[in-house]
Amino acid sequence: MRFVILGAGGLGSVIGGYLAKAGEDVTLICRPAHAEAINSKGLKISGVRGEHLVRENLSAVTSPDEAAGEFDHLIVLVKGKDTETALAQAEGLKARCKNVFSLQNGIGKEERLRQWAGRDKVVGASTIEGGTLHEPGVVSNPLTTPTTAWFGELDGGTSARTDALAEAFTRSGLVAKSVPNIMQVLWEKLVQIGTASGWSVSTLGLRLYFQDGLLIRQGAEHYVALAKDMLRVYGAMGYTPQNFYAPMSQFKELNELDFEGGVALMMKLGERLKQQGMRGRTSMHEDVIRGKKTEVDFLLKPFLDKAAELGLQVPVLETVYRVIKTQDAYLE
Ligand SMILES: NC(=O)c1ccc[n+]([C@@H]2O[C@H](COP(=O)([O-])OP(=O)(O)OC[C@H]3O[C@@H](n4cnc5c(N)ncnc54)[C@H](OP(=O)(O)O)[C@@H]3O)[C@@H](O)[C@H]2O)c1
């Protein structure tokens, strides 16, 4: 299959790199220094799958018009705040792409892609795979889970194209499933990333890593309080947690445990991550550390809107949103 990735930074390079390594034809659309490094020296990936240098089947360009030929799949992977600009630049590319999907975090991205590319072209997709761009041509892949990506038709059900995508990702080492309930996966992923990101940015400051905060009792308490607000909204939407991204997801358990039980569970997770030597940060926490505007309106705002629609009180989520919006106003 031919893939083109619009906005290949951390995650787009990791996904594109593994797909190319497994024999898919991949074009990355990225910033000039990154494109130049990849085309001259290859893409270096290190992390949970060891060290790789990818050169075969991979090319990088700096604008959508330079991506030559026809593609089976366009994957949107700019940050949410850059989507509109990137789509405007890709007008000339969309007619050359059979299918379009986004692996960004957030809700509403698929509807936006349907307006842009046409309803039938868009597939639902979600991933937890981790990717960070360190320097041009060099990325790390600090996180994966036993199932790391999910695909499905947005109106429900699976299809030949969602099955083929799951197979291609799985062949490349990114174990994926094609499922009939992709909207639930997308909302539950937002519970996960919204909780993890909202918590990390409102708790960890500029030095700490994810597990550092969970090892402190008050840190774990804040995590559980925020998760309970998110789960209240998710439950009121009619969903029951499935732990799509187990073992990182602990939402089935958090939903059933009382507050103290939840705190003990999260402190245990912090201990386990420490023993594994993990030094992870959420992508939104990385943004704050690098002085970049965050995706707070894509990751937390959908739950605030849903809570308002459903008449639910979510005081911890509201506080976290206010704290992050204040910081965000001063980021570039
Ligand atoms: N990283 C993860 O671990 C992870 C995991 C799951 C989901 N996600 C989601 O995936 C999305 C991407 O995250 P990321 O961490 O990969 O972000 P990222 O590292 O910032 O990658 C996005 C890249 O796109 C570039 N870009 C922006 N506008 C562009 C344009 N018009 N044309 C070409 N390139 C453009 C950015 O360059 P500049 O920085 O110069 O603007 C950046 O290099 C986010 O929605 C995130 O929430 C991330």
Side-chain angles (χ1 to χ4, degrees):
M1 281 194 273
R2 290 202 80 208
F3 290 86
V4 57
I5 301 185
L6 181 59
L11 184 59
S13 303
V14 165
I15 301 255
Y18 287 138
L19 286 170
K21 199 167 180 302
E24 309 295 344
D25 180 295
V26 179
T27 301
L28 305 179
I29 303 171
C30 48
R31 297 303 193 197
H34 192 41
E36 150 82 39
I38 291 169
N39 289 331
S40 59
K41 294 183 280 185
L43 173 70
K44 279 190 196 160
I45 310 178
S46 62
V48 288
R49 295 183 176 77
E51 308 268 322
H52 306 275
L53 178 65
V54 189
R55 305 189 80 129
E56 300 287 304
N57 312 315
L58 184 69
S59 62
V61 297
T62 58
S63 82
D65 291 340
E66 288 171 52
E70 312 248 313
F71 295 90
D72 296 294
H73 298 284
L74 167 67
I75 312 179
V76 178
L77 263 170
V78 292
K79 287 267 165 81
K81 66 184 169 52
D82 296 321
T83 302
E84 289 308 320
T85 310
L87 292 183
Q89 291 165 348
E91 276 299 316
L93 176 61
K94 75 179 168 194
R96 294 188 278 119
C97 299
K98 252 189 242 154
N99 305 293
V100 177
F101 64 93
S102 155
L103 286 170
Q104 298 160 295
N105 286 312
I107 283 286
K109 60 197 173 93
E110 281 75 21
E111 268 319 304
R112 178 65 192 102
L113 286 182
R114 279 179 147 181
Q115 289 161 6
W116 180 73
R119 208 178 161 76
D120 295 343
K121 275 196 179 185
V122 184
V123 175
S126 166
T127 187
I128 199 170
E129 197 68 21
T132 306
L133 176 60
H134 294 279
E135 58 184 89
V138 180
V139 289
S140 67
N141 173 211
L143 174 75
T144 191
T145 52
T147 300
T148 193
W150 299 83
F151 296 97
E153 291 297 333
L154 290 167
D155 298 325
T158 58
S159 62
R161 65 180 175 174
T162 60
D163 292 349
L165 273 169
E167 281 159 24
F169 269 59
T170 300
R171 274 197 305 275
S172 76
L174 302 159
V175 176
K177 291 198 174 120
S178 169
V179 282
N181 56 338
I182 192 69
M183 285 315 296
Q184 179 173 8
V185 178
L186 288 166
W187 275 105
E188 190 166 315
K189 174 70 199 300
L190 205 57
V191 172
Q192 174 139 17
I193 195 70
T195 303
S197 302
W199 172 79
S200 56
V201 174
S202 60
T203 311
L204 299 178
L206 299 180
R207 275 194 318 109
L208 302 184
Y209 289 89
F210 198 82
Q211 72 284 357
D212 298 332
L214 290 182
L215 292 170
I216 307 302
R217 182 173 176 82
Q218 287 79 2
E221 285 173 353
H222 181 44
Y223 189 100
V224 175
L226 179 58
K228 292 268 184 201
D229 269 8
M230 299 288 251
L231 284 168
R232 197 169 317 116
V233 181
Y234 184 62
M237 291 170 69
Y239 293 132
T240 308
Q242 300 294 315
N243 285 358
F244 292 106
Y245 292 112
M248 287 305 286
S249 298
Q250 308 262 325
F251 294 109
K252 267 188 189 175
E253 297 80 350
L254 277 178
N255 204 38
E256 281 157 18
L257 288 166
D258 64 8
F259 187 77
E260 281 306 319
V263 172
L265 181 77
M266 294 321 295
M267 290 185 78
K268 214 186 288 168
L269 175 66
E271 198 52 57
R272 201 167 70 228
L273 295 175
K274 184 180 162 199
Q275 275 162 15
Q276 288 167 359
M278 181 185 147
R279 284 165 69 82
R281 284 187 174 127
T282 61
S283 162
M284 191 152 97
H285 190 202
E286 286 286 354
D287 284 340
V288 174
I289 289 171
R290 292 171 187 203
K292 287 180 154 190
K293 268 216 179 313
T294 70
E295 292 189 298
V296 62
D297 281 322
F298 298 90
L299 305 191
L300 298 184
K301 185 81 171 27
F303 276 99
L304 283 175
D305 293 344
K306 262 290 165 208
E309 188 187 316
L310 298 168
L312 298 170
Q313 299 295 312
V314 283
V316 182
L317 172 58
E318 249 171 42
T319 303
V320 166
Y321 182 72
R322 288 177 183 136
V323 167
I324 300 175
K325 281 297 276 187
T326 309
Q327 298 178 29
D328 206 56
Y330 291 92
L331 299 172
E332 290 302 322

